[in-house]
Amino acid sequence: MSTLEIRDLHVSVETKEGAKPILRGVDLTINSGETHAIMGPNGSGKSTLASALAGHPKYEVTSGTVTLDGEDVLQMSVDERARAGLFLAMQYPVEVPGVSVANFLRTAKTAIAGEAPALRTWGREVKQAMEHLRIDPAFAERSVNEGFSGGEKKRHEILQMELFAPRFAILDETDSGLDVDALRIVSEGVNRAKANTDVGVLLITHYTRILRYIKPDFVHVFVDGAIAEEGGPELAERLEEEGYDRFLTAATA
Amino acid sequence: MSTTTDHSRAVADGAHSHSAGHGVVPVGSRAERLTSFDLADIPVPTGREEEWRFSPVARLQPLFSEDLGAAGVRTTVVPAPEVKVEIVGRDDARLGTTGKPGDRTAVTAWNAFREATVVTVPAEAVASDVTSVRVEGIAKDATALHLLVHAERHSEAVVVIDHLGDATLDETVEIVVDDGAHLTLVTVQDWADGAVHASSHRARLGRDAKLKHVLVTFGGDVVRVTPDATFTGEGGEVEMVGLYFADADQHQEHRLFVDHAVPRCKSRVTYKGALQGAGAHTVWVGDVLIQAKAEGTDTYELNRNLVLTDGARADSVPNLEIETGEIAGAGHASATGRFDDEQLFYLMARGIPEVDARRLVVRGFFAELIEEIGVDSVEERLLASIEAELEKSMSVITGVATREVDA
Ligand SMILES: Nc1ncnc2c1ncn2[C@@H]1O[C@H](COP(=O)(O)OP(=O)(O)OP(=O)(O)O)[C@@H](O)[C@H]1O
Ligand SMILES: [Mg+2]
């Protein structure tokens, strides 16, 4: 059992006008096997939380702590965090021209596992995972994310989640831009990973429709850089009906 | 009527397609550029001339002189079994048929050589192996060298010219591709640090002739290569592929010119470069002229530069002149970009250490280009050389990183 613990996290983003505070004291504890949904209006800081956890250099942690089984995550470099078991499925995955998906997956797996995966089993594993996510085998030879459609990019992110078997996965709006079929395929991928590896999931979303496929244990409402309310799955339903108005007034009052 | 474009120091992605008919007066049209075998016609440049404005003329000074010797390099040719090699006097009738020198170093090189090396691929011969020409610097005396590579009609061959060691070299490479011949000519500038090298490549293509011209520049203090290609018969095809990697204080300049003088020929130019270190400077100039009678021309040129560190500068000037409306296609693209930190973050967020992530991105940048070369031995060497270059920048990067941590 692993625990990812976020305590009173304050984060600023680097802008041309100087550091701009975005996160104002986030507290969150995620255990293996748990699924936490984070919902909140545009610009409330959800992606900032995801990027800060992954160690993006543009985001500066000004105070607070993040630990993974007691280890200080904030002291780790970006690649160290990934090797320690953190995975971020990005809202906007980056194109890497000239680097094939196959080469990328093998290089990353090798880095994360600390040794090259056995050639034969790895090939089979990749092929099967791609099949499950309905990713055409031809994608293996394409450049990472280059010319992928929005939905293809998201499926490629979940492909990695399945293959790299992280301890904690942060999914930043993985459901955005997916049609109904793609949403189901991607959700099945996440659920497979949960079943196979007991991964803890932090699911950032605007919509409850993905929560019909991926059942959250906890729902957190994110407003103005902090968690404004917490509850079970029923909170998501309420948000769908009522929107965020109730919190926004509270935050601006 | 003609169209001309000139983009100096392109920084953002810019892709253009051209159709003829805009009445823009060409500035410094290539058609009007003076060419001559006569030294007196082409004086020593000051550095303000169009064709020298990016060049460190002071460092090239020794090559502007009329007194170039022959002792600075040793040339060794290992031909394929089907290929013939001769050393001939400067009065040999086969020399000087590919066009006249177009700048000072080209004209001094032409006037200084006494003997030339002629590599001939006989008519209809298909070379079973690569022909290797090794030019090794052995002394710093300013030296002239003249090579002729002649692919006779319907022959096929790969010729690799390798430059290494330290030298001050002014070189001419004449390339004749007769009707129906297919020639791949690779020139690699893998000089030691101090080398100064100017080279004029002048290619003439016959009917249905095909030339793949591959240029690779890694080493040297100053390297300036000017590949020219002229079509003399219909159906000719030239593919120019270039790859360069400049380190601190290196100047690497590649100016090419494709002259579509006859109808229905095709040209493709793809040059890519990476730069790292203070004072690294690369220049790419791509002149393409589509003459009035060259109907059905199909041309595209592309230059991309990847700036890996601060203090490096890439100049990129595509220049397309179109004198006929009846073209099949004409376009160019030029872009110079910084190393993308978001790519680095993405790869590192997948557990890949920074050094390996950078290596992946740079290799990726060159990958397609290297595949286009199509000569296995050259591709492997290139990958190894890119690794070696990256090794240098990695030590710089890891050095910087440590200092930041210490601070
Ligand atoms: N690099 C940046 N420069 C300037 N402002 C930034 C930067 N990154 C984030 N911000 C600002 O921080 C705030 C939070 O952004 P963030 O992307 O975390 O929101 P979000 O909750 O993920 O929104 P969305 O639902 O639209 O994805 C926004 O006001 C945004 O404009
Ligand atoms: Mg977001």
Side-chain angles (χ1 to χ4, degrees):
Chain A
M1 232 271 302
S2 289
T3 305
L4 179 67
E5 203 171 326
I6 304 164
R7 282 286 156 269
D8 194 30
L9 191 69
H10 287 70
V11 171
S12 291
V13 64
E14 218 180 84
T15 70
K16 280 182 213 81
E17 295 80 42
K20 176 180 164 191
I22 309 286
L23 299 188
R24 307 156 189 277
V26 177
D27 288 289
L28 192 59
T29 301
I30 309 172
N31 294 306
S32 292
E34 293 177 357
T35 298
H36 294 245
I38 289 192
M39 304 182 77
N42 293 128
S44 56
K46 305 181 298 296
S47 291
T48 300
L49 174 64
S51 298
L53 291 175
H56 194 293
K58 261 211 277 201
Y59 300 87
E60 194 203 345
V61 175
T62 50
S63 68
T65 59
V66 179
T67 56
L68 177 56
D69 292 339
E71 298 263 0
D72 186 353
V73 170
L74 299 179
Q75 279 303 314
M76 300 179 196
S77 60
V78 175
D79 51 317
E80 283 169 349
R81 295 178 197 207
R83 293 199 295 274
L86 284 184
F87 177 81
L88 167 61
M90 296 188 196
Q91 187 172 2
Y92 304 107
V94 182
E95 301 189 355
V96 192
V99 178
S100 73
V101 166
N103 182 19
F104 163 70
L105 292 175
R106 195 177 351 93
T107 306
K109 181 70 183 180
T110 304
I112 290 166
E115 59 179 359
L119 223 53
R120 232 174 337 121
T121 48
W122 175 246
R124 217 179 307 131
E125 216 178 306
V126 173
K127 196 162 158 264
Q128 197 180 44
M130 287 176 72
E131 242 168 61
H132 282 148
L133 288 164
R134 311 277 198 284
I135 299 173
D136 191 298
F139 274 69
E141 293 316 316
R142 285 178 60 175
S143 292
V144 171
N145 292 321
E146 194 179 44
F148 289 18
S149 73
E152 287 163 354
K153 282 182 182 164
K154 297 302 176 73
R155 272 185 273 179
H156 181 239
E157 295 292 283
I158 299 306
L159 173 68
Q160 295 169 56
M161 177 185 174
E162 287 202 64
L163 291 171
F164 302 159
R167 287 200 274 172
F168 292 96
I170 304 152
L171 311 181
D172 191 359
E173 297 204 24
T174 299
D175 54 335
S176 296
L178 296 183
D179 61 32
V180 184
D181 286 337
L183 181 69
R184 186 177 43 78
I185 290 163
V186 159
S187 303
E188 284 168 6
V190 175
N191 288 332
R192 262 195 309 277
K194 282 173 56 168
N196 292 339
T197 64
D198 206 33
V199 58
V201 175
L202 186 60
L203 186 86
I204 298 172
T205 182
H206 282 285
Y207 309 105
T208 48
R209 58 173 196 159
I210 192 172
L211 303 181
R212 286 188 211 116
Y213 296 101
I214 306 171
K215 291 277 171 252
D217 302 298
F218 306 94
V219 174
H220 310 268
V221 185
F222 213 76
V223 180
D224 200 22
I227 290 168
E229 188 167 323
E230 294 175 302
E234 73 291 342
L235 180 56
E237 301 297 335
R238 243 187 97 190
L239 287 171
E240 178 110 312
E241 281 155 31
E242 297 172 9
Y244 302 111
D245 284 357
R246 180 159 63 95
F247 303 101
L248 290 178
T249 348
T252 43
Chain B
M1 247 195 276
S2 90
T3 307
T4 178
T5 56
D6 178 322
H7 298 236
S8 37
R9 307 213 56 198
V11 281
D13 254 291
H16 304 257
S17 280
H18 292 264
S19 56
H22 312 287
V24 181
V25 180
V27 184
S29 167
R30 279 304 297 239
E32 288 151 23
R33 173 91 51 95
L34 175 74
T35 59
S36 172
F37 287 114
D38 193 345
L39 273 169
D41 289 340
I42 308 180
V44 174
T46 60
R48 286 188 295 275
E49 300 77 3
E50 172 56 35
E51 65 268 36
W52 293 102
R53 66 185 171 113
F54 296 113
S55 315
V57 287
R59 281 142 85 187
L60 285 157
Q61 209 65 38
L63 304 183
F64 298 149
S65 156
E66 299 176 19
D67 310 310
L68 302 172
V73 296
R74 179 168 42 224
T75 306
T76 316
V77 184
V78 181
E82 300 80 4
V83 169
K84 204 167 76 186
V85 186
E86 298 157 81
I87 309 289
V88 303
R90 63 172 293 117
D91 50 356
D92 192 287
R94 289 169 294 179
L95 303 178
T97 71
T98 56
K100 298 178 209 163
D103 62 26
R104 180 67 188 182
T105 47
V107 78
T108 53
W110 169 261
N111 282 279
F113 79 92
R114 291 199 156 72
E115 292 182 323
T117 302
V118 178
V119 173
T120 307
V121 192
E124 299 187 11
V126 176
S128 54
D129 202 351
V130 169
T131 293
S132 143
V133 180
R134 191 182 148 96
V135 178
E136 191 182 359
I138 50 175
K140 286 290 276 181
D141 314 304
T143 295
L145 177 68
H146 197 99
L147 302 171
L148 165 63
V149 178
H150 184 179
E152 293 183 346
R153 72 186 154 76
H154 297 296
S155 66
E156 283 179 35
V158 177
V159 176
V160 178
I161 310 170
D162 227 323
H163 301 87
L164 52 158
D166 193 0
T168 305
L169 179 65
D170 199 0
E171 180 185 44
T172 306
V173 180
E174 293 196 82
I175 304 161
V176 178
V177 192
D178 287 341
D179 294 354
H182 290 190
L183 175 68
T184 296
L185 185 129
V186 182
T187 177
V188 181
Q189 289 69 242
D190 202 1
W191 295 110
D193 281 349
V196 174
H197 181 206
S199 185
S200 167
H201 285 225
R202 300 197 286 274
R204 177 165 58 84
L205 283 87
R207 193 184 182 91
D208 299 320
K210 217 168 151 178
L211 170 65
K212 185 187 275 194
H213 186 271
V214 180
L215 177 152
V216 178
T217 301
F218 282 111
D221 175 32
V222 181
V223 174
R224 187 179 187 274
V225 187
T226 58
D228 293 356
T230 305
F231 294 107
T232 64
E234 293 190 22
E237 211 177 305
V238 62
E239 186 184 350
M240 291 183 166
V241 180
L243 187 159
Y244 46 94
F245 205 129
D247 291 322
D249 297 321
Q250 277 186 326
H251 179 93
Q252 299 177 350
E253 180 165 349
H254 305 108
R255 296 180 160 259
L256 44 100
F257 175 42
V258 182
D259 188 0
H260 282 273
V262 296
R264 280 169 286 284
C265 290
K266 180 175 168 184
S267 59
R268 287 287 177 277
V269 177
T270 313
Y271 267 60
K272 284 189 168 191
L275 298 84
Q276 61 188 9
H281 187 193
T282 65
V283 179
W284 178 86
V285 178
D287 289 339
V288 175
L289 172 64
I290 305 175
Q291 296 197 22
K293 52 189 178 293
E295 295 154 15
T297 290
D298 180 3
T299 179
Y300 195 82
E301 50 170 355
L302 173 139
N303 175 230
R304 289 203 186 293
N305 297 294
L306 181 61
V307 179
L308 298 174
T309 65
D310 288 335
R313 168 177 161 180
D315 287 295
S316 179
V317 189
N319 186 29
L320 182 54
E321 291 176 64
I322 307 171
E323 296 176 344
T324 172
E326 307 297 314
I327 52 174
H332 64 73
S334 158
T336 296
R338 290 195 51 94
F339 187 88
D340 184 350
D341 290 332
E342 293 301 325
Q343 287 179 2
L344 189 64
F345 174 69
Y346 187 80
L347 296 173
M348 288 178 72
R350 271 52 177 150
I352 302 171
E354 175 167 1
V355 169
D356 298 332
R358 282 183 180 269
R359 201 173 274 148
L360 271 179
V361 171
V362 176
R363 257 200 238 138
F365 174 74
F366 285 124
E368 267 175 57
L369 191 85
I370 291 176
E371 277 168 28
E372 269 175 50
I373 291 172
V375 183
D376 286 348
S377 57
V378 174
E379 290 180 10
E380 279 158 31
R381 232 188 91 192
L382 275 186
L383 285 171
S385 299
I386 290 171
E387 287 304 306
E389 290 292 335
L390 282 169
E391 220 44 66
K392 291 188 214 166
S393 69
M394 292 318 158
S395 56
V396 174
I397 286 153
T398 33
V400 168
T402 332
R403 245 174 291 142
E404 274 178 2
V405 169
D406 290 346

